[in-house]
């Protein structure tokens, strides 16, 4: 399952726009901007982000969090 099947392109763009600057990522703001309103949606997104299928989102996966929404997005620090 890919993120566009859960979120619209406009929602993804709004979320990425909210955290373009370094050190500007705020998870609550980002989730509101991309339209994640339910626990079920959030679980699906984190399931996609869990690249190694370990059941956990590790530091390396979190660094690439935004890149899962768009290849041109920045890496988190």
């Amino acid at each position: 399952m890919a993120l566009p099947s859960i979120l619209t392109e406009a929602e993804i763009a709004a979320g990425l726009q909210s955290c373009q600057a370094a050190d500007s990522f705020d998870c609550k703001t980002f989730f509101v901007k991309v339209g994640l309103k339910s626990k079920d949606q959030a679980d699906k997104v984190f399931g996609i982000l869990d690249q190694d299928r370990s059941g956990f989102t590790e530091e390396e996966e979190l660094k690439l969090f935004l890149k899962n929404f768009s290849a041109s997005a920045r890496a988190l620090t």
Side-chain angles (χ1 to χ4, degrees):
M1 180 182 303
L3 289 170
S5 68
I6 300 168
L7 306 169
T8 68
E9 287 184 36
E11 290 169 328
I12 292 171
L16 293 174
Q17 179 69 29
S18 73
C19 59
Q20 284 185 336
D23 298 323
S24 65
F25 181 76
D26 177 279
C27 65
K28 289 181 184 180
T29 301
F30 182 80
F31 290 161
V32 167
K33 294 282 186 179
V34 297
L36 285 176
K37 297 175 182 130
S38 71
K39 182 181 179 329
D40 183 53
Q41 285 178 311
D43 288 346
K44 287 179 183 175
V45 168
F46 277 97
I48 293 167
L49 301 177
D50 181 15
Q51 299 288 315
D52 64 2
R53 304 288 181 240
S54 67
F56 300 94
T57 309
E58 287 89 9
E59 182 178 349
E60 288 303 313
E61 292 167 328
L62 285 175
K63 286 180 183 178
L64 301 176
F65 179 82
L66 296 177
K67 292 198 170 284
N68 286 284
F69 291 87
S70 173
S72 63
R74 69 182 180 90
L76 294 175
T77 56

